[in-house]
Amino acid sequence: MFTVFIDLIGFGILIPIIPQLLANPASQFFLLPKGYSVQQGYIILGFLTAIFPFMQFFATPILGELSDRYGRKPILAISLLGTSLSYVVFALGIITRNLPLLFIARGFDGITGGNIAVAQAAIADVSTPETRTKNFGLMGAVFGVGFILGPYLGGKLSDPTFISWFTAATPFWFAAGLAFVNMLSVVFLLPETIKEKSKAFAVHWAKSILNIIKAFRLEGMRALFSSVFLFQGGFTFYTTFAGVFFITRYGWTQGGIGNYFAYVGIWIAFSQAVITRRVSAKWSPKSILSFSLFATGLFVLGQFLPRTLWEIALLVPFFAIFNGLSQANLTSLVSGSVGREIQGEILGVNASVQALAQTIPPILAGYIAASIGASVPIVVSGVTIILAGLVFVTFYRPRKVVA
C-alpha cells in the first residue's frame, strides 16, 4: 500500500512543476536556453511526459514476470531503488538546467515504475476470496490519496514564497527520500508473499505489443477496448496540458496548479468512495457509461467557461465525478466481460491499452499546442472523450460470459 502511495505522490508532484520548467518563460524555473521558443517548449513538454508511460508500456509485464520467478520482495525493492535514483537525477537535471538528464530520469523511472503491478500481485498473493475486494478497494483509496497529496506537495515544496529556500528541485529530493524509505521498509518489513515461484520462466519482451494486438482481436471486446483507449487518451491530453492552460489563461503559479489538481483528486476520491457505489447499485456499467463518457467530455470543454475562482470550484466536482464514474465502470466492464479464469490476462491487456493511450497524446498535444495554441489540447481532450462515448454507444454489445 505504501508503495502505491509513494508512486502516486511522485507522479502527482510532476504535474504543477513541469509546465513551469518548459512552458512558462515568465517563471523563475524556466529551463530552456536562450534561442528556444515557448512553442518548442510545448513540444519538449509533450515528449518528456510521454517517455514515462512509453517505457512503462514495455517494462510493466516484464517486471510482473520477473516477480513471478524471483519473488515480489526483491523486484519491488529494486524498482523502488530505481524510482528513488530517478528522482535524484531529475532534481540534478533541474539544478544544472540539463534537459537530457530530465529525459533520462523519466525514462529510467518508467522502466522501474511498473512496481504498482508488482504491489498488486503481492496484495493478491495474501488475499482470500473474501478479502480480495476489500484489499483492492483499500489500494484504490490509497491511490486516490496519493494523487491528491502529490500535486499539492509539488506546488508547495517548489514555492519559495512558502519557504524561501524551496526551489523546483525540492519536491524531487523529497520524493527520492520517500521512495528510498519505502525501499528500506520493503527490505526489512515486508515478508515474501509468493508461496510458489514460477519455474517455467522466460521474459517476453514484446508482451505489451502482443496485448494490444489481442485487445482488438478478442471477440466482442474490440469496441470496449477502443472506448478505453479513446477515454484514457483524451484524459491524458487534459492532464498533459491543463497546467499550461491555467498558466496562459489565469497566470497560475505551480502552487495554484497543485491546489487545483488536489481539489480535483478529492472529488475523484469522493466519486470512487461514495457516488460510484450508489450509482452502480441502481444502473448497469453500460447504462452509466452511455451517459458519463459524454458528460466527462462536455465538462472538459466546459473548462473554457469559468472566469472566476468560484466558477472553477463549482465546475470541478461535476467533471471529477463523471470522470470517476467513467474510470471505474470501464474497468468493471472489462473485468466483467470475461470469466474468472482469465481475469489476470484481461486486466493485463487493459493495462497495456491504457499505457499506450498515455504515450501517444502527450506528443501530439505538444505539436498541437505549438502549431495552433496552448489551449487547443484541452479542446482535443474533450472531443476525444466524447468520441469514446460515441464509439461505446454505437458499437459496444455486452459479451456473453461463460463462468
Side-chain angles (χ1 to χ4, degrees), residues 22-23 36 70-71 75 89-90 99 106 143 150 153 175 244 259 304 367 391:
L22 301 172
Y36 278 78
Y70 297 104
I75 302 303
V89 173
F90 200 92
L99 284 175
R106 294 304 294 155
F143 193 98
L153 287 172
V244 179
N259 292 342
F304 289 92
Y367 282 103
V391 169

Side-chain angles (χ1 to χ4, degrees), residues 59-334:
T60 297
I62 295 171
L63 284 178
E65 291 175 344
L66 287 171
S67 75
D68 287 340
R69 175 66 179 87
Y70 297 104
R72 316 296 187 210
K73 182 171 179 171
I75 302 303
L76 207 51
I78 291 169
S79 65
L80 283 166
L81 180 60
T83 294
S84 180
L85 290 174
S86 75
Y87 287 134
V88 170
V89 173
F90 200 92
L92 291 173
I94 292 174
I95 292 169
T96 60
R97 307 177 72 84
N98 188 316
L99 284 175
L101 276 185
L102 301 186
F103 277 89
I104 290 169
R106 294 304 294 155
F108 186 62
D109 194 23
I111 293 171
T112 62
N115 50 33
I116 284 184
V118 181
Q120 288 176 328
I123 289 173
D125 292 337
V126 298
S127 298
T128 64
E130 293 75 26
T131 62
R132 187 179 305 273
T133 300
K134 182 184 74 173
N135 288 346
F136 278 100
L138 181 57
M139 174 175 271
V142 171
F143 193 98
V145 172
F147 185 78
I148 292 166
L149 287 178
Y152 181 79
L153 287 172
K156 293 303 180 188
L157 291 173
S158 60
D159 187 355
T161 63
F162 186 63
I163 293 181
S164 61
W165 50 269
F166 280 179
T167 70
T170 307
F172 298 96
W173 295 119
F174 177 79
L178 277 182
F180 189 76
V181 169
N182 193 187
M183 184 271 292
L184 293 177
S185 73
V186 167
V187 170
F188 293 108
L189 300 177
L190 181 72
E192 179 54 64
T193 60
I194 192 168
K195 303 303 180 187
E196 293 186 18
K197 297 174 183 176
S198 173
K199 293 178 181 177
F201 171 72
V203 172
H204 299 94
W205 299 102
K207 183 67 177 290
S208 288
I209 295 173
L210 295 174
N211 278 347
I212 295 297
I213 294 171
K214 182 177 290 186
F216 294 96
R217 284 184 174 174
L218 280 170
E219 184 184 351
M221 297 293 285
R222 189 178 294 114
L224 181 55
F225 279 125
S226 295
S227 300
V228 169
F229 180 84
L230 289 168
F231 174 79
Q232 198 65 48
F235 190 61
T236 304
F237 269 109
Y238 179 78
T239 55
T240 302
F241 263 82
V244 179
F245 172 73
F246 292 129
I247 289 168
T248 56
R249 187 172 178 86
Y250 303 112
W252 285 3
T253 64
Q254 65 275 13
I257 296 169
N259 292 342
Y260 170 82
F261 276 100
Y263 182 57
V264 171
I266 288 170
W267 281 102
I268 289 177
F270 176 76
S271 173
Q272 299 280 19
V274 179
I275 304 293
T276 299
R277 186 176 59 196
R278 295 188 178 181
V279 171
S280 297
K282 294 185 177 181
W283 292 284
S284 69
K286 183 178 184 295
S287 299
I288 295 168
L289 288 166
S290 296
F291 178 75
S292 68
L293 289 169
F294 291 102
T296 303
L298 289 172
F299 277 106
V300 168
L301 296 176
Q303 303 283 323
F304 289 92
L305 297 176
R307 297 292 174 184
T308 66
L309 196 59
W310 282 108
E311 290 171 337
I312 295 170
L314 289 173
L315 181 74
V316 163
F318 295 99
F319 162 59
I321 286 170
F322 285 118
N323 177 72
L325 284 170
S326 298
Q327 294 271 16
N329 283 281
L330 280 171
T331 304
S332 174
L333 209 53
V334 169

